[in-house]
Amino acid sequence: MNVNGFCRIVSKKLPQQFAYKRIVTFSTKPAQQQQEATVSTPTLPNNNTPAARKPIVPGHYRFVYPEFLPDPKVQWRNTVREKLERLDMLARRGQVDLPEFYVGSILAVTSSDPHAAGKTSRFVGICIHRERCGLRARFILRNVIDHQGMEVLYELYDPTIQKVEVLRLEKRLDDSLFYLRDALPEFSTFDENMEAEHLEEGAPVPVNDIKVVLRPRPWLERWERQNLLGVANIEQYIKDKHRKSAAKVQKPWEKYDLMKQYRATIPEEEQKEIFAEVHTELHTLELQRKRNKRKRSFIKPKQLA
């Protein structure tokens, strides 16, 4: 082989070698190493940045303020309307103190009534039901007055409501107490001049495990089909035909239906996002309520002679 032929071969191989080296020099391996180094050495969050200071929402907010959670049905959801409703709800809570209560708590609601003597009416009763969400949230109070059962349905954010007092804060074994309509009257009778029973700050809400006694049939509903825990003598008035008909309509597999539970609830991530939006205002209202409670509980000592 002569010198010219050798030079041609070398000249053909040199561009290929340089091209290969050019690709290697622009490889992404250093970037991957740098990324691994950043992952292996995490940086502490800076408290001065506004993104790091997220409000810590208490876990009990979804029980205390259930009306702030939207309707789980997709066809009734509208994010813009829900945000506007939450702003209206916070504005209403700034005007009227709406305390914490549950089904089974005894409340006293004072509302404006143009037909009453003092233009206001006060009703005392036990909360037997609580439903709906947003500005449409409502609850039902029941009491027996002059041997006659009376129920009043209140809209929680109704502008005619002037005052809501919790006389006894407690829960019951069931989520709904409609069976008090068929129970003996003493389980739904409460004094209109009942004094408020205050719980210690930070104490858990007590659960009243009382079991009511139903009157004989006929009933307003078929209570034997609802798996009630707060009824004592439901087996006394049930016959074999009632048990057979109740067994036919039972659906024990529904407690394993995860999709049904998902469609009937709001995801936890969405709940945290909603309550993080209103946490600051609700926390401020809670502090104001505690200060007002301390002022009412303080009794000025009398000056001795």
Side-chain angles (χ1 to χ4, degrees), residues 66-280:
E67 68 274 4
F68 279 90
L69 296 178
D71 196 322
K73 295 183 180 180
V74 181
Q75 59 268 26
W76 299 109
R77 294 294 304 275
N78 189 322
T79 56
V80 177
R81 174 182 55 81
E82 292 166 3
K83 289 186 177 181
L84 294 177
E85 284 187 355
R86 285 194 289 268
L87 293 176
D88 292 341
M89 293 157 67
L90 292 174
R92 179 59 180 163
R93 283 182 173 270
Q95 301 295 327
V96 179
D97 183 16
L98 300 177
E100 172 187 4
F101 68 94
Y102 304 91
V103 173
S105 302
I106 303 175
L107 309 178
V109 179
T110 304
S111 60
S112 60
D113 186 2
H115 305 288
K119 302 299 181 182
T120 58
S121 61
R122 184 174 184 268
F123 185 79
V124 177
I126 181 173
C127 179
I128 64 173
H129 190 60
R130 190 172 180 179
E131 62 179 357
R132 296 188 179 182
C133 57
L135 293 175
R136 297 167 302 282
R138 62 185 187 180
F139 59 97
I140 302 176
L141 299 184
R142 176 178 174 82
N143 198 353
V144 177
I145 302 174
D146 294 336
H147 307 285
Q148 180 67 36
M150 299 184 63
E151 295 183 1
V152 181
L153 187 146
Y154 290 102
E155 300 284 345
L156 185 60
Y157 294 94
D158 190 354
T160 61
I161 293 180
Q162 298 181 359
K163 188 177 182 182
V164 179
E165 304 173 74
V166 178
L167 305 181
R168 182 185 298 168
L169 182 63
E170 63 182 10
K171 299 179 181 179
R172 290 294 183 95
L173 299 176
D174 299 302
D175 297 333
S176 182
L177 304 180
F178 281 131
Y179 54 78
L180 290 178
R181 298 171 177 175
D182 291 324
L184 297 179
E186 54 263 25
F187 293 99
S188 301
T189 305
F190 303 95
D191 187 9
E192 296 181 1
N193 300 321
M194 177 181 176
E195 296 183 358
E197 302 176 3
H198 298 286
L199 288 176
E200 296 182 0
E201 185 176 350
V205 179
V207 179
N208 192 346
D209 56 354
I210 186 175
K211 294 190 176 182
V212 303
V213 179
L214 296 180
R215 293 175 294 186
R217 301 174 74 102
W219 296 330
L220 295 176
E221 296 184 26
R222 297 177 181 179
W223 306 117
E224 70 274 6
R225 299 185 179 184
Q226 300 185 16
N227 299 322
L228 300 175
L229 302 176
V231 180
N233 64 333
I234 195 171
E235 295 290 337
Q236 181 180 354
Y237 305 107
I238 296 179
K239 299 180 181 179
D240 293 336
K241 62 177 183 179
H242 299 140
R243 294 188 179 92
K244 292 180 181 179
S245 60
K248 291 180 181 179
V249 298
Q250 284 184 354
K251 299 178 181 179
W253 59 85
E254 286 188 350
K255 61 181 179 180
Y256 304 107
D257 192 349
L258 299 181
M259 286 304 300
K260 182 178 180 180
Q261 298 176 9
Y262 177 78
R263 289 191 297 265
T265 56
I266 300 296
E268 186 178 358
E269 296 79 8
E270 191 172 354
Q271 292 185 20
K272 292 181 179 180
E273 182 179 356
I274 291 173
F275 285 119
E277 180 183 346
V278 297
H279 173 262
T280 305

